[in-house]
Amino acid sequence: MKYKEVFEKIVESVKDMIGKVAIPQANKVEEVSVDDQGKVTEGEIDSSQVVELITTYEGVMGDGAIAVTRNAVKELYEKDESVKDLDLPEEVLPKEVKAEKFVSAF
Amino acid sequence: MCLSKLLFILFYGKKFELESKYLTIEEYTGDMFPTTVSIHFVWSAILFLCFYAVYRKYQENQISMLRNFYMFFLVWSTGFFGLLSAMLAVGYLQDSSMILTLGYVIPHFFAFISVGYLWRVQSSINFPKYEKLFYAFVAYGLVITIYGLSELPEVVVEDGSLVLGPESTFSMLIPLGMAISAVLIAGSSFYSAYRTSGEARKKLSLIGTGTVFALVLSAFFKNMGYSVTGEITNVVWVSLFVIVVYWSEFKSRIIDKLKGE
């Protein structure tokens, strides 16, 4: 699993929720371009871009952005458990991933 | 013979061996430094090592769950067991029943703060919205401490162990609060264990079991140093947390060697 897939999945989920306005908001992320379908066309995506995207959406949707992102990440996790290896903010991780991340430190 | 006396003989074996020619164990231990204090100093030190281990993990991986987990150990180790041992030691040496009472009441405030941090760990996993319930733990600890200071439950040292006087409301409010906390925290931990698998499940189960022993059984079995069962309960819960915190070291040095890897 790569950050790009997470980024696009979040854009897709937010777009489903608030409509096309999700795209220009995603384009506010520095050095990233997103097409009308929510696919990344330009720029490298890593953890900091995903965090910036979530922050941008939080500015529009408030706490709702966290909930939508968490669901998006959960859907990805159900398909591919390697999501847990990515460096994502704790609050958007599904319960199982958080629990594993916590105890895997020991 | 009480476990605490056995520990005492272990610590001061040589001296006891010399003097025991003239004194029986009961005569010797009757005037000794309270084992409640000695044992709680040991628990405090062990839990401080747990704090340090988790703190180091936090330096490598700065997630809030680890920060809250090391705060649980730090506050329990210093604010609860550390302060309790120190105040009881001073109370005993000064022969002051007031300091003994304060040494029993005040540290329990920190016990609830510590438990609040353990709640923060679990709530951030399963109930992020309720993480602020931490302040309810602090408030409960504060309220019962104020109540305890007004009630001043009697605490005496008898035969080297701490003994509570007549049943007090404060003494009953502690296990009540701890039991409610344990339901929430251990329940959440077991739920996480159920949702995960492999080593994660084992570690979360150990945390849940340790929580039940620490917050419910230890108080139920009177862990303040005058019950063998209570002391064994302390051994169990502290050991469970040590195993979790030092899991990778424990696994690589013991389990893997036993398996011949």
Side-chain angles (χ1 to χ4, degrees):
Chain A
M1 179 68 63
K2 291 178 179 170
Y3 288 107
K4 187 181 167 195
E5 290 170 63
V6 177
F7 190 98
E8 290 176 344
K9 180 68 184 174
I10 296 169
V11 175
E12 182 193 325
S13 299
V14 174
K15 192 177 158 212
D16 288 345
M17 180 71 72
I18 64 172
K20 285 184 178 177
V21 73
I23 305 298
Q25 292 296 327
N27 276 312
K28 286 183 180 173
V29 176
E30 274 185 51
E31 296 174 17
V32 174
S33 289
V34 176
D35 67 16
D36 289 345
Q37 305 305 310
K39 300 291 176 195
V40 175
T41 55
E42 223 181 289
E44 287 290 309
I45 306 293
D46 63 19
S47 174
S48 60
Q49 271 77 33
V50 175
V51 171
E52 197 180 333
L53 178 72
I54 297 166
T55 310
T56 306
Y57 282 145
E58 263 189 292
V60 180
M61 303 167 66
D63 287 345
I66 301 293
V68 173
T69 304
R70 193 185 302 127
N71 284 337
V73 175
K74 190 178 179 187
E75 280 178 35
L76 288 172
Y77 175 72
E78 282 165 0
K79 286 180 195 162
D80 182 354
E81 290 195 355
S82 66
V83 170
K84 68 184 178 191
D85 300 324
L86 300 178
D87 183 20
L88 296 172
E90 274 176 75
E91 63 267 27
V92 303
L93 297 176
K95 291 173 186 175
E96 299 85 346
V97 178
K98 272 192 203 172
E100 284 204 22
K101 200 165 179 143
F102 166 55
V103 291
S104 68
F106 308 113
Chain B
M1 185 188 301
C2 180
L3 179 66
S4 55
K5 285 178 186 168
L6 282 172
L7 283 172
F8 176 81
I9 292 165
L10 202 66
F11 289 144
Y12 301 101
K14 189 105 183 149
K15 191 163 176 265
F16 172 73
E17 201 180 301
L18 290 171
E19 296 182 18
S20 63
K21 288 174 188 169
Y22 310 104
L23 298 169
T24 64
I25 292 175
E26 291 306 320
E27 283 167 339
Y28 189 87
T29 55
D31 193 32
M32 70 189 198
F33 195 66
T35 48
T36 305
V37 175
S38 320
I39 290 175
H40 279 77
F41 265 131
V42 174
W43 299 141
S44 174
I46 295 173
L47 291 173
F48 193 82
L49 291 176
C50 289
F51 147 71
Y52 185 65
V54 181
Y55 178 74
R56 283 182 60 190
K57 310 278 184 192
Y58 175 72
Q59 296 299 319
E60 295 163 16
N61 189 357
Q62 299 207 344
I63 55 175
S64 68
M65 291 174 283
L66 288 178
R67 188 186 62 229
N68 290 324
F69 202 39
Y70 82 61
M71 283 303 293
F72 158 70
F73 286 117
L74 178 64
V75 178
W76 195 286
S77 159
T78 57
F80 184 31
F81 279 180
L83 185 63
L84 181 126
S85 312
M87 290 183 77
L88 292 183
V90 172
Y92 175 75
L93 294 171
Q94 299 282 323
D95 197 18
S96 164
S97 59
M98 177 55 83
I99 298 176
L100 285 173
T101 295
L102 295 178
Y104 170 58
V105 173
I106 295 171
H108 277 93
F109 169 60
F110 294 99
F112 279 96
I113 293 180
S114 175
V115 172
Y117 278 110
L118 198 54
W119 164 252
R120 271 189 151 174
V121 173
Q122 289 301 327
S123 65
S124 64
I125 294 172
N126 290 317
F127 320 102
K129 282 183 186 172
Y130 299 102
E131 206 176 325
K132 286 183 180 172
L133 211 61
F134 168 78
Y135 297 103
F137 288 88
V138 177
Y140 186 84
L142 187 64
V143 167
I144 67 159
T145 301
I146 292 168
Y147 188 83
L149 291 174
S150 68
E151 191 183 43
L152 294 175
E154 191 188 352
V155 179
V156 291
V157 175
E158 202 175 277
D159 197 19
S161 293
L162 184 85
V163 178
L164 301 178
E167 199 71 51
S168 66
T169 311
F170 175 75
S171 304
M172 288 187 277
L173 289 172
I174 297 167
L176 175 70
M178 290 293 177
I180 294 168
S181 308
V183 169
L184 297 170
I185 297 167
S188 173
S189 196
F190 287 130
Y191 175 69
S192 296
Y194 169 73
R195 302 269 306 223
T196 52
S197 58
E199 283 196 358
R201 174 175 287 177
K202 288 175 193 163
K203 291 177 199 172
L204 288 160
S205 301
L206 288 178
I207 292 174
T209 310
T211 305
V212 172
F213 270 83
L215 306 189
V216 184
L217 296 181
S218 62
F220 183 75
F221 288 125
K222 300 177 178 176
N223 65 332
M224 296 303 290
Y226 58 101
S227 145
V228 175
T229 326
E231 286 164 12
I232 291 171
T233 313
N234 278 338
V235 172
V236 171
W237 82 259
V238 172
S239 303
L240 290 176
F241 278 106
V242 167
I243 290 170
V244 171
V245 168
Y246 288 96
W247 183 274
S248 51
E249 291 84 353
F250 181 74
K251 190 170 178 284
S252 62
R253 289 182 191 175
I254 299 174
I255 297 178
D256 289 350
K257 276 184 186 170
L258 287 175
K259 284 181 182 172
E261 286 174 15

